[in-house]
Amino acid sequence: MKTLTGMQKKILIDAERLKYPKSGIANVCVSLIKGLDEKASDFEYSFYGPKKNIPETKKKFNIIDWKFWQKKISINTRSFALIHTTHQLSKYFHTVKNGQKKVVTLHDLNFLHDGSSEQKVRKYTKVVQKNIGNADAIVCISEFVKEDFLKNKGLFTLKTNVRVEVIYNGLIFPQTTEVNSDKKYNFIGKKYILNIGVLFPKKNQNVLLDLIAKNDRDLVLVTSSAKSDYKEKFLEKVKTLGLEDRVHIMENIDNSEKYFLLAHCESYCHPSLAEGFGIPPVEAMYFGKPVFLSKLTSLPEIGGDLAFYFDNFSAERMQQVYASGMQIYASKSEEYALRLKERAIKFGYLEMADAYEKLYSELLN
């Protein structure tokens, strides 16, 4: 890559989502910062976000601290050659200066498919338009998201020569899969199924209650403490099926506890109805755990031919898929676990940082 000088080599990355440090997009921002920190580069990076949540780095990156009033009075971006908006609903950096390049990461267009009101669809379409309308490159986080975007491209007005690429989210994996915990969980030592994600209709966790009602497993859910109608219905169903002793909900736990639960689960189940990427199944594969996924949206890209798939969500069928999957896994568990881990590593943070920097470089040269 030829060295870029002056204005050309400054890149601004919008990491404002670090306001919500436990969110999926925040994790992706941290991974990108870490990846760019660990590689040699001709670019000078600045990150925009809440200073206190931006990870420490070896390089002296420029940090522009997020302030709530910047939505109204935006920061001066004149010195940057390229701006990278890390999610399609960002409220910042909607205008670009003459000669400036822009990259936007598109995580999903779920609002078109989740039964949102017309008003909400209009509102979100408008925000996405503000972000991608002047983009030189739109990066989709999976082939599924790219396909969905191209199908719905007519809703947006884009630059004529906009590039649409796929760069998978990259994860920072724990340094070891031997993890300990000081907490006393009453289900450790039992066979339990793990699920990670907000209790939300599209995550479809309620079908896992039907699954464990058909076998003797416990179910452990790692979720946020957000209140929702879905959560109320979920807890009602737990009572109706008499599963109070076998369903365990862990709220807002930190990464080390999450890794401990991954290390000790029998399997990871993710029956989601809509997923732009799907970080938790990748984490489970890194721990060598058998993963059971829905066949919908991006999940087959994540699990490939190593995951087991629920082709429908009837209790009987899910139990058949689960029993046969566990049998296949058990017959060659060491070899299978190794292959799962190898697949997970392909979704690493350095791979993601390399792909983004290659794109920045192509747009600026």
Side-chain angles (χ1 to χ4, degrees), residues 88-89 108-129 155-156 200-202:
Q88 73 280 3
L89 296 174
D108 60 61
L109 291 173
N110 283 347
F111 62 89
L112 295 176
H113 313 297
D114 62 9
S116 289
S117 66
E118 266 181 57
Q119 190 186 355
K120 188 177 168 185
V121 170
R122 269 201 306 275
K123 179 185 155 187
Y124 280 2
T125 303
K126 226 182 199 161
V127 181
V128 175
Q129 172 63 40
L155 297 172
F156 307 101
F200 203 61
K202 72 168 188 180

Side-chain angles (χ1 to χ4, degrees), residues 6-23:
M7 135 137 197
Q8 267 186 306
K9 73 185 267 225
K10 285 186 161 189
I11 292 179
L12 174 65
I13 295 177
D14 169 9
E16 171 268 342
R17 286 289 92 178
L18 284 166
K19 279 191 329 209
Y20 308 105
K22 286 197 163 81
S23 68

